[in-house]
Amino acid sequence: MRGWRRSAAIAIAGASLIAVVLSGCTAEGPVTVNVPTQVDATLPDETVAEMRDAVTAAITATGSTGAIVGVWAPWSGSWVSGVGTQSPGGAEVTPDLTFRAGEVTGAMTCDALYSLEADGTLSMDDPVTTWVSGLPGYEDITLRQLCDGTSGLGSYTSILDGMVLKNPDRVWNARELVAYGISQPRRNAPGESFSSSATNAELAGLAVERATGESLAAVLSERVTGPLGLSATGIPSPAPATPGPSSLTGHWSQPNGEGAYDCSAPLEFSTMSSSYGGASAGAVTDIDDLGRYAQALATGALLPPENDRFSAPIPVGGDQPTWFTAAGGAYQAGSLIGKFGWTPGYLVGAFADPQTGMSVAVVLNNSAGDKNTGAWLAWQLAAIASKAPAAAGQTMPEAGLPWTAEQMRDTIAGNAICAPPAG
């Protein structure tokens, strides 16, 4: 079983943590991620069997045919695997396949904004209109509120998803996407409450480009993926394409007139322009990169120690648990920090614990299911992995999570669009 690749562990005498210096030196320099030492072993068979059952159930519930999962519990071991097939009756899914990163891209866009603040280029409290022209009447929205998800702006995806389904090859201009987003009524006053919106990330991306004079893809390479050594991750050209030459086949099933899905024949949806996701969901990645990125995001590895990115978390919603909050382009769930979401073809989730180093990354290959499923599955796997016994010479962390694997399993099943086979 693979552990973290492209890394070198440097032991620090007398310390419980190690510094993992990742390759990929750029003009911004390599980045050090402080995480507990990862045991070079596979997670115990019983733990893996329980996690495989969880992934298989989520595949069924979402109408997917396959998934890729990575779980790293530093005190116990790791599990990185493909589960299921590329399509009904198709080739087996392998863990090296690339896929669309979905809304994890938005967290990377906010990485870039916060790093620009750290070097004095801008302030997260700047009005968005300072950095994005042609937005009269939006001077009350700040860059911080874009990343926090409290701008009150609607999402362009609610208007355009149907158009993309019919014409996935269309190349979109970011300002056109923003125009559709701001054409909707504001959901709330700026700073008042959280509401997920792809328009926030698109505006953040435009601000990054204005502040640097470079494309967002170039900035993310210089400030995020390059320093972290994420060689499989980045925003590709807008030309219609799959997520890579060797990629996970995506699907986007559509309901019939009665609202039911044909679970035996999901609609393939792998080829499209990355411009539709753009700064919000346009990146591609693989499972090792996604798991590594979750650790970097959770530990704040790309920013100075004194940064305030996650210092003022906001409740995600009145109907959500109190342990589920948002800030800085990411979510906090109990002790985990990460991101989840969707893009046509894929459901994605990636979370890590900055103290224990545990990291979980998942992708399901049908975006028709509930858009929260990437989070629910990641949290279910985290709950299972958190109880994995310590390997020889290791100590199992004492801290737990405010949910159980069974609760997440039931949530996924309760929001399923496809039922398991009878019997």
Side-chain angles (χ1 to χ4, degrees), residues 4-411:
W4 294 118
R5 51 178 164 78
R6 304 187 301 275
S7 63
I10 303 175
I12 300 177
S16 60
L17 298 180
I18 66 168
V20 178
V21 181
L22 302 165
S23 64
C25 183
T26 71
E28 298 299 320
V31 166
T32 299
V33 181
N34 291 319
V35 292
T37 308
Q38 175 67 52
V39 170
D40 186 16
T42 303
L43 284 164
D45 290 345
E46 290 184 2
T47 301
V48 170
E50 187 177 357
M51 291 193 295
R52 186 177 292 275
D53 286 347
V55 176
T56 300
I59 289 173
T60 298
T62 57
S64 299
T65 64
I68 306 174
V69 58
V71 180
W72 296 268
W75 67 91
S76 183
S78 61
W79 180 53
V80 181
S81 181
V83 180
T85 60
Q86 288 273 49
S87 58
E92 290 187 359
V93 172
T94 56
D96 58 326
L97 301 175
T98 54
F99 51 88
R100 302 194 192 282
E103 291 168 61
V104 175
T105 311
M108 296 180 183
T109 299
C110 288
D111 288 334
L113 269 186
Y114 274 93
S115 72
L116 288 167
E117 180 182 53
D119 65 20
T121 301
L122 52 75
S123 167
M124 292 299 292
D125 294 319
D126 288 341
V128 63
T129 51
T130 300
W131 298 102
V132 183
S133 61
L135 291 173
Y138 291 88
E139 297 82 359
D140 55 345
I141 296 174
T142 66
L143 298 179
R144 187 183 306 277
Q145 288 165 347
L146 294 179
C147 285
D148 283 348
T150 60
S151 71
L153 297 175
S155 180
Y156 64 83
T157 57
S158 62
I159 299 174
L160 299 178
D161 279 351
M163 192 179 300
V164 171
L165 178 65
K166 296 175 182 177
N167 185 13
D169 292 349
R170 176 172 173 173
V171 175
W172 297 85
N173 182 284
R175 284 188 171 272
E176 183 180 12
L177 298 175
V178 167
Y180 277 102
I182 65 176
S183 70
Q184 302 176 79
R186 293 204 191 191
R187 297 172 174 176
N188 52 261
E192 185 175 83
S193 61
F194 174 83
S195 181
S196 178
S197 172
T199 308
N200 289 328
E202 287 302 316
L203 282 168
L206 288 171
V208 168
E209 293 183 335
R210 173 71 179 277
T212 62
E214 299 180 77
S215 70
L216 179 64
V219 175
L220 294 189
S221 178
E222 294 165 2
R223 292 177 177 266
V224 182
T225 63
L228 290 174
L230 309 182
S231 62
T233 304
I235 297 180
S237 77
T242 65
S246 180
S247 58
L248 178 65
T249 301
H251 300 87
W252 191 6
S253 296
Q254 299 298 308
N256 61 23
E258 287 73 44
Y261 291 84
D262 184 349
C263 297
S264 63
L267 175 66
E268 183 176 338
F269 203 91
S270 302
T271 300
M272 66 177 294
S273 170
S274 65
S275 63
Y276 182 63
S280 171
V284 299
T285 190
D286 69 9
I287 207 68
D288 282 330
D289 276 11
L290 187 59
R292 186 193 303 261
Y293 174 70
Q295 282 193 326
L297 177 65
T299 59
L302 292 166
L303 299 174
E306 66 273 12
N307 79 87
D308 62 354
R309 183 174 185 175
F310 302 134
S311 63
I314 304 132
V316 170
D319 59 344
Q320 296 296 318
T322 56
W323 48 256
F324 185 29
T325 58
Y331 293 100
Q332 183 162 351
S335 61
L336 307 182
I337 294 174
K339 190 76 170 180
F340 70 94
W342 85 296
T343 195
Y346 307 89
L347 297 169
V348 178
F351 285 84
D353 186 324
Q355 299 302 317
T356 68
M358 179 176 64
S359 184
V360 180
V362 299
V363 58
L364 296 153
N365 73 341
N366 194 335
S367 57
D370 192 290
K371 296 178 181 180
N372 296 303
T373 307
W376 296 332
L377 179 58
W379 297 344
Q380 183 181 3
L381 297 177
I384 296 169
S386 69
K387 299 182 183 302
Q394 301 295 314
T395 301
M396 183 177 173
E398 294 182 3
L401 296 169
W403 64 82
T404 66
E406 292 74 20
Q407 287 173 327
M408 292 301 114
R409 176 200 64 198
D410 293 345
T411 300

